[in-house]
Amino acid sequence: MAETADGYDDSSTHSTGSYHETAHIEPLYEAFRCPLSRKVMHNPVTLETGQTFEREAIEKWLRECNVNGRPPTCPVTGKVLSSTELNPSIALRNTIEEWTQRNEAARLDVARKSLFVGSSEADVLQALDYVIDICHMNRTPRNFVRKGELIPLIADMLKSSSQRVRLKALETLRILAEEDDDNKENIALGDTIRTIVKFLSHGHSQEREGAVSLLYELSKRESLCEKIGDVSGAILILVGMSSSESVNASTVERAEKTLENLERCEKNVRQMAENGRLQPFLRLLLQGSPDTQLSMAAYLGELVLSNDKKVFVAETAGSALVDVMRSGNKEAREAALKALNQISSYETSAKILIEAGILPPLVKDLFMVGSNQLPMRLKEVSATILANLVACGANFESIPLDHNRQTLVSEDIVHNLLHLISNTGPAIECKLLQVLVGLTSSSATVLKIVAAIRSSGATISLIQFVEAPQREVRMAAIKLLKNISPHMGQDMADSFRAAGSQLSSLVSVMAENNGISDEQAAAAGLLADLPERDSVLTQRLLEENAFIIIISKVRGIRQGEIRGGRFVTQFLEGLVMILSRVTYMLDENSFIVFAQEHNLAALFTELLQTNGLDKVQATSAAALENLSQKSKYLTKIPDPPQPGFCGFCFSKPTQDTAGICKVHHGFCSIRETFCLLEGKAVEKLVALLDHTKEQVAEAALAALCTLLEDGVIIEEGVAVLCETDGIRLILEVLCENRTEVLRQRAVWAVERILRREDIAYDISGDQNVGTALVEAFRNGDYRTRQIAERALKHVDKLPNFSGIFTKMA
């Protein structure tokens, strides 16, 4: 463009063509320019020499003369001035104003005719430049453009197919929005803000920068903050940009400033909190009006926070929330409790809350009776928080709860907990049992809890909870009994192991043949949840013929001989889990013989296909893992071939490989050696790798890994997985990274698979696999990092993580 005078483009005075001829734009006269600034004058004044200047420019000149110790002179003639009086040139100013208005009107008319989809890129860009020039004229109000109804036309240019036009339109709208609230409102009409937001995530880097700069201008208008926040994804994208290291610093700064403006709207603050930007949310929680603080605390209880955010909230607002528990009204205490429930569910944040003094008011709320006591629904929340806190493993022996220096493990406190367990609903029972589980998990406190249980005479009551219908209550009770049983003598051990004990009764209940009752399902669930590696208990079950009964029941249910009901799933799950205990005892020959006689490997293989029964599938896969680990020891290795003799020479030895398992290199079967390959279990396990329940996929992958472990022919194991599409699914499991256990198992399996050079070469070009291995190398535990390192070396990703293989033509 030609020279600009204070934003005024005079290219039209030098251009030719129909575009400018139709504009009727008058040329820029030299008399309109200030000799000093070379810009069009807005406030012309005349010196005694007759020379005219822009007032601001000549005043600056005269000041410089004074500062430099020179006499005041005329910049044009050089004559020393006897007077520095500045006389306004009103006629010239009026002439310039009239000329400017005529040209602005002509330019806007040209712009209006050019801003439509059919115009050429050059015409649209020229039109937008006209608008920008007009906006840069200091004395020209920008409402001139708005009143000319150009803003909607400019906004439409954001949808142009030309990137240059889109960038220029963003710039033009930003300039129009600067320091003009009416223009901001006009720009925000229709779906313009939504269009601008799209540039943030899908646009070119320059478009992103232009879009965030425009949003920043719009966000200065408080009435538009909520409208910006209402655009789906706007705040999420801005939060991401404000902390991004992949965009330039100015864009990050504008995104940050935009978010700061949007914080004026409480709804936006909530959105920011949902997307991980908690500072403004916590400011309102701590410094807002009482109503706002209450609202924020209640909302905090609904937020789903990552663990690091729970820590941040606990550090920032934990003490304030604990203070509300101590002294707030019931409504405020309820909000605080729900918020504390949210942030106490992570070990680190729980410890911070303990340091903030949460335990004394929390325990007081749980035990309080009378008019000031919390309703049961809030006592349930308090019990949940206490269970969360205990799970963090703090030293509760040293944390006083009152002036008497009582602690959570003091006898009176434990007695109160036991009393609540026996006199409240299942929800509170479950949480308080979990509290005792946590306290008995520490060697430092378990003996004190045991002493309190004995002195309260609660042993029988706790044992009775193993028959509770609520699974969580039952599970918590079983964990508690397991923790205290080493310290309770024979009374606990005899309850489950001695002849004629409760164990025999439970087996008898399961053996009943009058359909499937809730009692049978509860009995099976109780035994299923007991420690699976308890060898004495498993031996007792064998002696009670429990496993034979269970096998009959499982097969009867599978074949439809036993009619099911609403308890059939729970009953079958319990039966299968109990039966799987046999596979944890295979170091003893009697259990190997039992598994062979009853063909347990075939039964568990069949149970892999019980779709919809996740526990049954996971348990069966885990059992097959245990069985398969024994295959390499049970396979019958053929005798080595003997060399032939013909009288003159030795013939080459030969060996009949028919019937030999290629993985175990011996004679295998599903019944005798529990071989997954011979039992056709591999295909079924592979099918479970993409199961929606992580525990099923974990168990299936663990079973398949037995085909790759030391002691078998790993190359053949890899070949088997390749034939059944297992390798592809194992790689998907690795890339999905659903759980830490799955990642650890997948990394181990993939490292073994990549030992085959042809597979390593093929996989080396898969960026997802490489990224997953790098992630495991960076963030896994020590063993996983070592295995991931070896896997990365197989595909030549270390030390340089970028792909180095040349793709095959």
Side-chain angles (χ1 to χ4, degrees):
M1 295 181 64
E3 180 183 359
T4 298
D6 194 18
Y8 178 82
D9 173 26
D10 66 345
S11 59
S12 59
T13 62
H14 309 289
S15 303
T16 59
S18 60
Y19 191 90
H20 297 293
E21 290 170 359
T22 58
H24 304 296
I25 297 173
E26 300 176 27
L28 173 60
Y29 301 100
E30 189 63 26
F32 294 174
R33 291 185 189 271
C34 171
L36 283 173
S37 68
R38 301 302 299 162
K39 296 182 179 180
V40 175
M41 292 182 286
H42 299 303
N43 189 11
V45 293
T46 304
L47 294 176
E48 64 180 23
T49 60
Q51 298 297 322
T52 303
F53 304 89
E54 177 65 36
R55 177 181 289 276
E56 183 178 347
I58 190 62
E59 285 177 344
K60 179 181 178 183
W61 168 271
L62 295 174
R63 283 196 302 272
E64 289 175 352
C65 289
N66 184 50
V67 169
N68 294 327
R70 294 185 288 104
T73 60
C74 172
V76 175
T77 65
K79 180 181 177 181
V80 176
L81 300 175
S82 59
S83 170
T84 58
E85 182 179 357
L86 305 176
N87 298 310
S89 182
I90 298 174
L92 179 59
R93 185 180 64 190
N94 292 338
T95 300
I96 293 174
E97 286 180 354
E98 292 172 2
W99 171 83
T100 301
Q101 289 175 1
R102 289 194 302 273
N103 276 2
E104 286 174 355
R107 287 169 178 268
L108 289 177
D109 184 58
V110 170
R112 189 181 298 105
K113 292 176 181 178
S114 299
L115 292 174
F116 64 92
V117 176
S119 295
S120 68
E121 180 187 85
D123 284 353
V124 173
L125 292 174
Q126 184 82 62
L128 293 174
D129 279 334
Y130 277 173
V131 176
I132 291 173
D133 289 344
I134 291 170
C135 292
H136 281 159
M137 297 294 287
N138 291 337
R139 66 174 192 80
T140 305
R142 293 189 174 110
N143 63 9
F144 196 54
V145 177
R146 183 179 67 256
K147 290 179 179 178
E149 299 183 352
L150 266 73
I151 290 179
L153 300 178
I154 298 170
D156 285 342
M157 294 301 103
L158 295 176
K159 301 175 182 178
S160 169
S161 61
S162 166
Q163 185 186 71
R164 294 179 64 196
V165 168
R166 295 195 301 269
L167 285 170
K168 183 64 71 173
L170 286 168
E171 178 188 3
T172 307
L173 291 174
R174 175 183 57 77
I175 293 170
L176 284 167
E178 289 174 348
E179 300 179 6
D180 193 314
D181 288 344
D182 290 332
N183 276 359
K184 290 181 175 66
E185 295 282 356
N186 205 266
I187 291 170
L189 295 175
D191 67 344
T192 303
I193 290 180
R194 186 178 302 275
T195 302
I196 297 168
V197 169
K198 287 181 180 179
F199 286 120
L200 298 181
S201 58
H202 303 299
H204 183 270
S205 59
Q206 289 178 299
E207 290 176 325
R208 284 198 300 272
E209 187 172 354
V212 75
S213 296
L214 175 52
L215 277 182
Y216 169 59
E217 288 299 330
L218 296 178
S219 68
K220 293 177 181 178
R221 179 72 167 168
E222 188 170 352
S223 61
L224 297 182
C225 288
E226 184 172 352
K227 190 167 185 177
I228 294 172
D230 284 341
V231 176
S232 177
I235 287 179
L236 173 60
I237 297 170
L238 287 168
V239 168
M241 292 178 70
S242 68
S243 58
S244 174
E245 297 180 358
S246 61
V247 296
N248 62 53
S250 63
T251 301
V252 170
E253 181 183 5
R254 286 299 171 88
E256 177 66 29
K257 289 183 176 179
T258 303
L259 287 168
E260 290 173 2
N261 290 337
L262 296 181
E263 290 170 13
R264 291 176 290 183
C265 173
E266 188 174 310
K267 184 195 287 188
N268 291 342
V269 171
R270 290 173 182 250
Q271 273 201 67
M272 292 177 196
E274 290 174 6
N275 293 303
R277 185 182 175 91
L278 288 169
Q279 294 90 335
F281 176 85
L282 295 177
R283 263 197 308 273
L284 289 181
L285 176 65
L286 297 173
Q287 302 171 12
S289 66
D291 287 343
T292 298
Q293 288 179 320
L294 181 61
S295 172
M296 292 296 105
Y299 186 66
L300 180 57
E302 301 171 5
L303 271 179
V304 177
L305 299 173
S306 62
N307 288 337
D308 61 326
K309 297 302 181 184
K310 290 175 186 175
V311 173
F312 178 70
V313 173
E315 291 173 338
T316 307
S319 295
L321 291 169
V322 170
D323 288 341
V324 173
M325 282 182 60
R326 289 195 185 98
S327 57
N329 58 37
K330 284 190 176 182
E331 187 180 11
R333 287 164 69 194
E334 178 174 358
L337 278 171
K338 290 180 178 178
L340 289 166
N341 183 32
Q342 167 68 255
I343 60 179
S344 67
S345 58
Y346 180 55
E347 178 180 318
T348 306
S349 54
K351 289 180 178 178
I352 294 170
L353 293 177
I354 291 172
E355 292 174 2
I358 189 176
L359 280 175
L362 186 66
V363 173
K364 180 181 178 181
D365 281 345
L366 268 174
F367 296 161
M368 182 178 290
V369 295
S371 58
N372 290 327
Q373 71 174 331
L374 291 177
M376 278 299 172
R377 60 184 175 81
L378 292 186
K379 284 200 174 187
E380 180 184 339
V381 178
S382 296
T384 304
I385 295 171
L386 186 57
N388 291 340
L389 297 174
V390 169
C392 79
N395 182 13
F396 294 99
E397 225 179 350
S398 64
I399 304 173
L401 301 178
D402 54 29
H403 63 279
N404 294 322
R405 308 294 295 177
Q406 290 197 101
T407 68
L408 271 181
V409 297
S410 296
E411 187 175 53
D412 288 345
I413 299 299
V414 177
H415 284 177
N416 285 334
L417 288 172
L418 292 169
H419 177 76
L420 275 177
I421 289 172
S422 300
N423 294 279
T424 54
I428 296 179
E429 289 171 356
C430 178
K431 296 303 177 183
L432 295 182
L433 283 170
Q434 289 177 3
V435 169
L436 292 179
V437 168
L439 293 175
T440 56
S441 297
S442 167
S443 59
T445 56
V446 62
L447 292 178
K448 290 192 174 183
I449 304 299
V450 167
I453 291 174
R454 278 182 170 146
S455 65
S456 68
T459 305
I460 295 176
S461 298
L462 291 175
I463 291 176
Q464 290 174 346
F465 274 113
V466 301
E467 296 179 306
Q470 297 82 12
R471 183 177 183 276
E472 288 189 355
V473 173
R474 185 173 66 249
M475 287 291 292
I478 291 171
K479 289 179 180 179
L480 174 58
L481 294 173
K482 176 181 180 294
N483 286 350
I484 65 177
S485 61
H487 310 282
M488 295 287 286
Q490 289 300 308
D491 51 347
M492 285 293 299
D494 291 347
S495 296
F496 293 106
R497 297 174 179 170
S501 69
Q502 291 175 327
L503 183 63
S504 298
S505 300
L506 290 172
V507 172
S508 297
V509 169
M510 292 190 300
E512 293 176 357
N513 290 318
N514 55 351
I516 301 175
S517 67
D518 56 347
E519 187 179 6
Q520 284 180 303
L526 167 60
L527 291 175
D529 288 336
L530 290 175
E532 58 198 9
R533 299 183 185 275
D534 188 327
S535 60
V536 177
L537 181 59
T538 304
Q539 183 65 44
R540 286 285 295 110
L541 286 168
L542 184 66
E543 294 168 0
E544 293 285 345
N545 291 324
F547 296 122
I548 294 176
I549 294 170
I550 289 170
I551 291 170
S552 175
K553 292 286 185 182
V554 170
R555 286 180 173 154
I557 293 172
R558 291 287 294 160
Q559 295 168 8
E561 296 171 0
I562 300 177
R563 295 296 179 181
R566 60 189 177 124
F567 303 108
V568 63
T569 298
Q570 183 182 350
F571 188 47
L572 181 59
E573 288 175 347
L575 294 176
V576 174
M577 292 174 71
I578 297 168
L579 184 58
S580 72
R581 303 170 76 87
V582 173
T583 68
Y584 291 91
M585 297 291 296
L586 297 177
D587 287 339
E588 296 187 21
N589 190 61
S590 61
F591 285 96
I592 291 179
V593 172
F594 181 89
Q596 290 171 334
E597 288 178 351
H598 297 279
N599 202 3
L600 290 191
L603 179 57
F604 284 120
T605 299
E606 179 187 348
L607 289 170
L608 290 176
Q609 295 180 300
T610 51
N611 296 328
L613 301 180
D614 304 331
K615 287 185 181 178
V616 172
Q617 290 178 307
T619 303
S620 300
L624 286 171
E625 177 195 2
N626 296 335
L627 290 164
S628 180
Q629 285 176 339
K630 288 294 176 182
S631 296
K632 58 189 176 185
Y633 303 111
L634 298 175
T635 187
K636 297 176 182 178
I637 305 299
D639 295 331
Q642 298 297 323
F645 182 71
C646 66
F648 297 99
C649 63
F650 287 97
S651 62
K652 185 177 181 180
T654 60
Q655 181 178 9
D656 184 9
T657 60
I660 295 179
C661 173
K662 55 186 178 181
V663 174
H664 300 109
H665 202 59
F667 296 105
C668 286
S669 70
I670 185 66
R671 177 185 286 272
E672 298 298 327
T673 68
F674 318 134
C675 177
L676 298 181
L677 183 59
E678 296 299 322
K680 309 298 182 186
V682 176
E683 297 87 343
K684 299 178 179 65
L685 289 167
V686 167
L688 295 179
L689 288 178
D690 63 350
H691 199 284
T692 55
K693 297 293 184 180
E694 286 84 358
Q695 63 267 31
V696 177
E698 288 172 2
L701 181 55
L704 291 170
C705 284
T706 61
L707 301 176
L708 304 174
E709 62 187 11
D710 294 337
V712 305
I713 303 176
I714 296 176
E715 274 205 6
E716 294 296 343
V718 173
V720 170
L721 292 176
C722 189
E723 292 167 3
T724 56
D725 201 29
I727 292 179
R728 178 182 66 83
L729 290 171
I730 290 173
L731 292 175
E732 287 184 4
V733 169
L734 174 68
C735 295
E736 289 171 359
N737 193 20
R738 285 189 284 172
T739 68
E740 184 61 25
V741 172
L742 270 175
R743 177 166 73 173
Q744 290 173 352
R745 292 192 184 280
V747 169
W748 185 91
V750 168
E751 189 277 327
R752 298 266 166 153
I753 291 167
L754 292 177
R755 293 180 185 183
R756 272 187 49 171
E757 292 184 0
D758 57 332
I759 294 178
Y761 183 85
D762 290 339
I763 292 176
S764 64
D766 191 325
Q767 186 176 355
N768 291 330
V769 174
T771 299
L773 289 173
V774 169
E775 190 67 20
F777 176 67
R778 292 177 55 203
N779 300 317
D781 58 23
Y782 178 74
R783 181 171 179 270
T784 301
R785 290 200 302 271
Q786 283 189 318
I787 298 171
E789 180 179 4
R790 292 199 298 270
L792 287 165
K793 288 180 179 178
H794 291 324
V795 291
D796 287 350
K797 296 289 185 181
L798 279 178
N800 182 1
F801 292 131
S802 62
I804 61 173
F805 285 113
T806 303
K807 291 185 178 180
M808 296 292 289

